[in-house]
Amino acid sequence: MEARDGDHAEALRRLVEQGVIDRGQADAVVAALEATEGRSETKSRWAEVLGYVGGGLVLAAVATFMATAWDVLDVGVRITLLAVVAAVLVGAGFAMAGGRSLLLRSAETAPVRRRIGGALFALASLSAAFAVAEAMEEALPPEFVPSAATWASAAGLAVAVTAYALLRSAPGLVAVWGMSAFLVGFGVQEVVYEIVGSDSRSGFSSTGWETASSAAGAGLLLLGVVGIALAVVGVLREQGTAVGLGAVTSYTGALMLETPVNHVAELAVTAGLFTLFALWHSTARGPGSALVFGVLAATVAVPRLVWELTDGEVSAAGVLLVAGAVLLIASAVGIRLRHRAAAKPARPRTEPDTP
């Protein structure tokens, strides 16, 4: 018996166990519910598409205005305009997500409202970041560290985290990830480079740059691990999305580390994703996401290691052969792990995993 609504499935299972209805009747109820929900979902999907199209046209109008008249406006007008846009987006997202009931947590937000509201909140965090960037560009002296971009990402992250705490959604999670990744990657790099200093007249230090890049890479690696951990414990609602973003962030951080530490880190990320899939028994999308990105990481990490160990003597065809072999092996391992995980009972989910 399968149902898209976990609460309905659990209720029907209890009725079957109590002998109120039999298995066939439960399956008939599930089929009826899915047929009804399918028709209503089709209508809501079209309404959602129209909402996204309308929002896209508004954004296109704003982008056109910014491209043609932005340089003519004073800094104060730019900041005010961006702040007003952020406030309007927050208000629209709040209203779309349920308004007062969202604050009171009196009712569960519908998936469509959750997605649209989350997208509006994400755009609000982006607008707030641009407003802070304009203000800090005007306030900070040239070459000041942390730069205006770092301050802007910090402000955008604060807005995105607040919005996600209020309304957990996939667009909101992406906004939190984007702001935090930029803050850790770019912000840490420029701060560490400023501390390390320069040993050349041109003001550029290759050693300092490598140290700063490694520090930023380590920060991104840890950020991805934290994101995946929060998904595993259930803090992040969209587990599949969170694991995917965490895997990309961690692997990117591993690539930024100095050789040969970067290769070790890449293999560690790959092994960690496969281990997570093997040990995480859940009906959510998290384990599947860990498997997919584990296969992708293995496909990239192993050929890179072979190229490094052979000092680039392996031909392009050889590298492609290694990548193909790794992909086949990783896929076979993934399928085996998938079957093994499917044979074990899944841990019940407390909340549905909405896209």
Side-chain angles (χ1 to χ4, degrees):
M1 179 181 62
E2 296 180 355
R4 289 178 295 177
D5 190 327
D7 293 336
H8 290 168
E10 180 63 22
L12 290 173
R13 185 187 63 80
R14 287 197 300 266
L15 291 175
V16 172
E17 292 177 351
Q18 295 169 4
V20 178
I21 59 176
D22 57 30
R23 186 62 176 268
Q25 292 172 324
D27 290 339
V29 172
V30 170
L33 287 173
E34 289 183 346
T36 303
E37 292 174 359
R39 288 192 294 269
S40 61
E41 185 176 353
T42 300
K43 296 179 180 178
S44 63
R45 289 284 186 179
W46 278 110
E48 185 178 1
V49 168
L50 293 176
Y52 286 136
V53 171
L57 293 176
V58 171
L59 290 177
V62 173
T64 302
F65 171 76
M66 292 176 62
T68 56
W70 193 250
D71 293 336
V72 181
L73 300 176
D74 294 333
V75 175
V77 177
R78 296 178 188 176
I79 298 172
T80 302
L81 181 59
L82 289 169
V84 169
V85 170
V88 170
L89 288 170
V90 168
F94 182 74
M96 178 59 66
R100 189 167 179 266
S101 63
L102 181 64
L103 294 176
L104 299 177
R105 307 289 184 182
S106 58
E108 177 70 15
T109 305
V112 174
R113 288 181 171 271
R114 182 179 297 276
R115 287 192 293 268
I116 297 178
L120 292 171
F121 282 147
L123 292 174
S125 68
L126 187 63
S127 182
F130 281 132
V132 172
E134 289 286 344
M136 298 308 291
E137 283 282 0
E138 185 71 13
L140 296 178
E143 306 298 329
F144 184 84
V145 175
S147 65
T150 300
W151 288 106
S153 62
L157 177 61
V159 175
V161 169
T162 303
Y164 185 79
L166 187 64
L167 179 69
R168 296 196 295 173
S169 65
L173 179 61
V174 172
V176 172
W177 167 77
M179 295 295 177
S180 59
F182 187 89
L183 179 62
V184 173
F186 182 80
V188 169
Q189 187 174 48
E190 68 171 3
V191 170
V192 171
Y193 185 76
E194 179 71 14
I195 295 174
V196 171
S198 171
D199 56 6
S200 63
R201 295 181 180 180
S202 63
F204 176 77
S205 170
S206 59
T207 303
W209 182 257
E210 291 176 357
T211 302
S213 296
S214 294
L220 289 174
L221 180 60
L222 293 177
L223 177 64
V225 171
V226 170
I228 294 175
L230 291 177
V232 172
V233 300
V235 174
L236 301 179
R237 179 189 180 101
E238 303 74 18
Q239 294 178 329
T241 304
V243 171
L245 295 176
V248 171
T249 305
S250 293
Y251 194 83
T252 302
L255 291 173
M256 296 174 64
L257 300 176
E258 295 185 19
T259 305
V261 180
N262 57 343
H263 295 290
V264 176
E266 290 175 55
L267 295 177
V269 170
T270 303
L273 290 172
F274 280 125
T275 303
L276 177 62
F277 172 77
L279 299 180
W280 190 6
H281 306 306
S282 172
T283 56
R285 299 175 182 175
S289 183
L291 174 63
V292 170
F293 284 93
V295 171
L296 294 177
T299 306
V300 177
V302 175
R304 278 176 43 82
L305 179 61
V306 171
W307 181 271
E308 179 67 26
L309 293 177
T310 59
D311 292 327
E313 294 182 0
V314 178
S315 64
V319 173
L320 291 175
L321 177 62
V322 172
V326 170
L327 182 59
L328 291 174
I329 295 173
S331 298
V333 172
I335 293 173
R336 184 178 182 85
L337 292 174
R338 187 73 174 179
H339 287 312
R340 183 178 299 177
K344 297 180 180 180
R347 183 178 61 190
R349 295 167 55 198
T350 57
E351 294 186 57
D353 190 355
T354 57

